[in-house]
Structures are given as structure tokens and as C-alpha cells.
Amino acid sequence: MSETLIPAPARDDAPEEIAAKAAQARRAAATWRRLNVSQRVAALRKAWRELAARREELARVIHEETGKPLAEAELMEIGTTGMLVSHFAANANRLFEDTPAPKPWFLLNKRAYARRVPWGVVGVVSPWNMPFLIPFADAFAAMLAGNAVLLKPSEWTTRTALWTESALAATGLFPEGLLTVARGGPAAGERVLDASDMVVFTGSTKAGREVAARAARDLKPCLLELGGKHPMIVLADAPLERAAAAAVWGGFSNAGQLCIGVERVFVEGPLFDKFVESVRRRMAVLRVSADGLGDMGRLTVPFQFDRVQAQLDDARAKGARVIGGEVLDRAGLLMAPALVLDPAPGMRVCSEEIFGPVLAVTRVGRAEEAVAAANEGPWGLAASVWTADHERGEALGAALQCGLVGVNEPSTHYALGSLPFGGFKSSGLGRRHGDEGLRAFTQPQSVIVHEWPPETADPWWFPYDAVKSAWLRRLTGL
């Protein structure tokens, strides 16, 4: 019997509880937005320092709730969040300051500019695979822009969110309710969406479509990061050992539960056997354990474990060669990483997002065949090309229908806050990060101030006459 304790899903907050939390968030937003950007930056930087000082405690909470190794909890979740916090804080004044607007000479007596206005309450609905990085990075950006955040974490990873809520409140730096957690499943998520002015959702494509439809009823902006199925294209001249190491890390880190994680590998024929052998050697030494000290931990939720096992069973039943994938501890949700070699198009590992420690590796004749295969299907989040010829790799990357491309690089995009992050096709809507991602937490307000002369009407106002019309035609270039 397994000694691993799998957390149970959280109960739903009652509708009146969520309504009260939303009302408190709205009051907090009204207070918080009155601070200028520099004041918000200072408060959030100080809060981050206090959270980072407790990183070992936080990493333990993340590990116990998700099963991921402590190293991944600290580096992938907390460390990456720190990089994003640093970038966002350093660029906030530039992105949120008033922007003067050019104007024609005959409007020189007026001042024109655009300012950024926070939405108010931002609803963040986040997944179970990254219970700190995803919601806190989004919440930090939203709060930096002047909003309050109503966070609905996955019902499977509520403890991490509650720890974050409590830790931020303990700093005493924010109005009460600036970041508030609403607990529960889809029904709680719907209530959070309805109570918010803007929604940020990370999850499945199916759920993302439902979020977008619900938001559209009120013309409410939503930012969606949805499913992915990262195709890794390995050309014959690729740096073999780096490519193999990237496939193993990109496919099996976080037990493969990454939307940008590698799932499909297309290898040109001359390198196929050497690549597979190198990947197998690296897989063989991976330490899979539930104690937080290995390389790969358990899958986070029971239904995902069952889903991945069903995909592997389907591949075996349809004649694929499967290496690994053994169930190590069913009750503890531990499985060995798996390779599926030369899978057929009808197999579930080809037609579905896997979201588990499985790499489907296919031999291709040439690069263009791999690009065509990579572009099949509804996904368009991340992809990578591996070759010694960087120029060719970048050209092939431009032909890939996805929002994130790496050349000899698997999936560092999320940590680089200066890059917009999001997908094409059914993999998302809008972008987080980058200038446009941070500004998305505000809406522009255009302002014109008439400065002089104070009492005189503008010449194009009433009354109209032939002389005035002729003069205005010349003025406007008609």
C-alpha cells in the first residue's frame, strides 16, 4: 500500500461566500488603484522579498500538494516567478505611464495623451500543474496594473493558493482582499468569472471555449492559455546529446504535466537510432520517487494518471513499440517515463494531448515532412527545431503554426518575461508577459485637455457658413 497522501479536491465555497469575497476584492481595488505605479511596485517588491524568504516552506507545500520534486517546486515554480516579478516591476512605470499623443498643428492649444486604467477585479482561474507559478505571476501582473485579484485555483491544489493568500496578507502591505481565494470546481469558477471585470484562464481547450463563451455574454475580456502538444523536430545535423537531454527534460519534467512540454518528436532518419538510444540511456537513470528528492515525482491527480495509462494501453493494443511506462505505484500515482516509437496516426498519443511522462518519437524522411506533421491538429502553443544550422532552424520555425518557437531550445519562454507568451489556433487567446501581456491588465483611456484660450469656442463649432466651411476644408487638406 502506498504511503503517499493524494490530496482530495476542495469543496466549493457557497455562492454567498464567493459574492462576499468579490465585493471585498472590489473595495480593495478601489483603494489600491489610487496608489501611483511606483508605490505599487515598491509594495509588491517588498511582498515578494518576504515570500521568497519563506521559499523552503512554500516549496514543501507545493511538493506535498502536487508530488513534484522539491527542486522543481523551488526552481521551476518559485524561481521562475521571481524572474517574472523582477521583469514586471522593472518595466511597470514605462508600460503604465501616460503616453503623449501626436496632434496636428491647429490643435497645439490642447494636450492629448492616453493613460492606462485598471479593469478593477481580475478573475484568475488556474490549473493544478503549476499551482504557484501560474496564478501568482498573473496575480502579480494584475495587481501591479492596479487591479484586485479573485483567484480560483484548481480544486486539487487549493492549499498552495491559500498559503499564498495568507502570506501576502501577513505582509500588511495591501488593502484587505486585494488577492482573495475562492475555492471549488467549475461552478466556483463560473461565479468568479461572472464577478470579475477581466478573466485569465489556464486549462484545457474545451474548458477555455466555455470560459470565452461565458465572458462574451458581457463583452468581458479574457486571456486564455490552453492545451499544447509540443512537436520537437530533430534534423540529421542536430547536436545529438543536447537534443536527447532536452527531449528527456522537456518530456518528463513535472512528470510531463506541462502545456509547453515536449510530447511529439520527429527525427530525421539518419539520426533516429542514435537519438532513441541516447534518450533511453538518459531515461534509465531518472530517479522516480514520491519523496521529493528524485528527478520525477508522481502525477498530480488520479484522473490524469488513468488517462495517460489508457493512452499507453491504446498504443500497445494498436501495435506501437512502448518502452517504459510501467505502473510503479498505482495508489501513489507513480509511473515510469515512457517512449512510444513510430506511433501510428490513429493512436491516442498522436491525436490527444498527453500531459504525462510520455514521448512519442517518429522517424521522418526530411524536415518539411516533420513541419507538416507538427502543424497537424488543433494545437499551436510551443514547438522546437534542432539543428547545427541556426539560420535553417529559424526559417523552419517560422513555418510552424505556434506562438512559441525554440531553436536548440525546448521551453524557456515562460521564464523570459520580456517575451509574449501564448498560442495559435486552439491553444489560446491573447498573450501574457511581454509589453502587451502586462498592458492587457489595463484598458487605455484617451484624454484631451483644452488649455487656451479659456473662453473662446473652437472655430469648427456652430454656426456653419460658406466661408468657415471653405477654411476648414483647406485646414483638413480636403
Side-chain angles (χ1 to χ4, degrees):
M1 180 178 292
S2 171
E3 297 181 358
T4 303
L5 180 63
I6 309 301
R11 67 167 180 84
D12 277 33
D13 283 339
E16 57 270 21
E17 290 180 275
I18 295 178
K21 290 177 177 182
Q24 180 62 62
R26 197 160 296 283
R27 290 191 293 271
T31 300
W32 179 246
R33 70 183 295 170
R34 289 198 290 267
L35 300 183
N36 62 39
V37 178
S38 295
Q39 289 172 316
R40 296 198 296 263
V41 168
L44 285 161
R45 275 180 165 157
K46 185 175 181 181
W48 173 250
R49 288 195 295 269
E50 295 192 25
L51 263 65
R54 300 172 61 184
R55 64 185 178 277
E56 291 183 5
E57 175 189 350
L58 174 56
R60 176 61 59 179
V61 171
I62 295 169
H63 160 68
E64 290 172 356
E65 192 163 49
T66 66
K68 68 181 62 181
L70 286 165
E72 288 186 350
E74 184 163 350
L75 297 175
M76 292 178 70
E77 294 231 39
I78 305 171
T80 301
T81 301
M83 294 174 65
L84 293 173
V85 165
S86 178
H87 174 79
F88 293 162
N91 288 275
N93 278 289
R94 174 179 64 84
L95 294 173
F96 297 139
E97 67 183 1
D98 294 348
T99 306
K103 53 188 183 292
W105 66 267
F106 56 85
L107 297 179
L108 290 179
N109 60 340
K110 304 179 191 294
R111 182 161 45 91
Y113 63 95
R115 62 179 162 215
R116 309 301 304 191
V117 177
W119 288 100
V121 175
V122 174
V124 174
V125 182
S126 63
W128 43 260
N129 64 318
M130 286 285 177
F132 180 75
L133 169 61
I134 290 176
F136 185 78
D138 288 338
F140 185 94
M143 292 188 295
L144 198 59
N147 303 282
V149 173
L150 189 58
L151 168 61
K152 207 298 287 183
S154 167
E155 61 271 33
W156 291 93
T157 51
T158 303
R159 186 181 163 200
T160 300
L162 292 173
W163 185 98
T164 306
E165 177 189 38
S166 175
L168 284 177
T171 67
L173 294 165
F174 309 112
E176 183 181 358
L178 192 67
L179 185 145
T180 304
V181 174
R183 297 170 296 181
E190 290 177 357
R191 295 186 183 102
V192 166
L193 193 161
D194 292 343
S196 303
D197 303 302
M198 173 190 178
V199 176
V200 182
F201 174 82
T202 306
S204 71
T205 298
K206 178 178 181 295
R209 293 183 190 278
E210 294 170 359
V211 168
R214 195 175 187 95
R217 297 187 314 190
D218 298 322
L219 298 181
K220 191 173 295 185
C222 59
L223 190 160
L224 308 174
E225 188 218 308
L226 309 177
K229 198 168 177 63
H230 184 142
M232 178 178 178
I233 298 174
V234 183
L235 305 188
D237 67 343
L240 174 61
E241 295 307 320
R242 177 173 172 81
V248 172
W249 185 80
F252 304 140
S253 59
N254 205 44
Q257 299 165 121
L258 292 171
C259 56
I260 57 175
V262 177
E263 292 200 359
R264 300 176 286 169
V265 187
F266 300 99
V267 187
E268 282 194 315
L271 198 64
F272 183 86
D273 291 335
K274 290 181 179 179
F275 176 84
V276 170
E277 181 57 32
S278 183
V279 168
R280 288 186 62 180
R281 286 199 313 269
R282 294 172 186 278
M283 283 175 56
V285 298
L286 286 180
R287 298 165 298 158
V288 182
S289 70
D291 60 9
L293 302 178
D295 301 308
M296 194 180 101
R298 65 172 172 85
L299 276 77
T300 299
V301 292
F303 61 79
Q304 191 60 28
F305 183 94
D306 295 340
R307 175 187 170 94
V308 174
Q309 287 299 315
Q311 290 170 330
L312 288 175
D313 290 344
D314 173 78
R316 293 185 186 101
K318 292 176 179 175
R321 182 184 174 200
V322 178
I323 300 170
E326 299 85 3
V327 175
L328 304 179
D329 181 350
R330 173 64 186 84
L333 308 184
L334 277 177
M335 65 173 286
L339 279 182
V340 180
L341 300 182
D342 283 321
M347 296 178 185
R348 291 180 61 185
V349 292
C350 297
S351 61
E352 300 175 2
E353 184 179 22
I354 300 171
F355 219 66
V358 177
L359 281 176
V361 186
T362 302
R363 186 193 308 261
V364 295
R366 58 195 184 95
E368 291 71 20
E369 179 186 343
V371 169
N375 286 337
E376 290 179 358
W379 312 281
L381 188 55
S384 58
V385 181
W386 299 77
T387 173
D389 186 342
H390 294 174
E391 185 175 348
R392 187 184 184 207
E394 291 179 64
L396 289 171
L400 292 168
Q401 298 169 8
C402 61
L404 315 169
V405 172
V407 177
N408 299 341
E409 178 64 39
S411 54
T412 311
H413 302 77
Y414 202 98
L416 194 55
S418 55
L419 281 176
F421 186 96
F424 290 4
K425 300 192 289 186
S426 294
S427 285
L429 181 67
R431 294 293 183 271
R432 50 160 56 100
H433 306 173
D435 287 3
E436 62 189 284
L438 206 56
R439 284 197 177 113
F441 289 105
T442 63
Q443 49 187 327
Q445 184 181 65
S446 299
V447 181
I448 297 179
V449 179
H450 176 79
E451 296 186 316
W452 55 270
E455 295 292 342
T456 304
D458 284 339
W460 44 87
W461 294 357
F462 297 135
Y464 299 139
D465 58 44
V467 173
K468 180 184 287 189
S469 295
W471 179 79
L472 289 174
R473 282 196 294 271
R474 294 187 63 185
L475 192 67
T476 56
L478 294 177

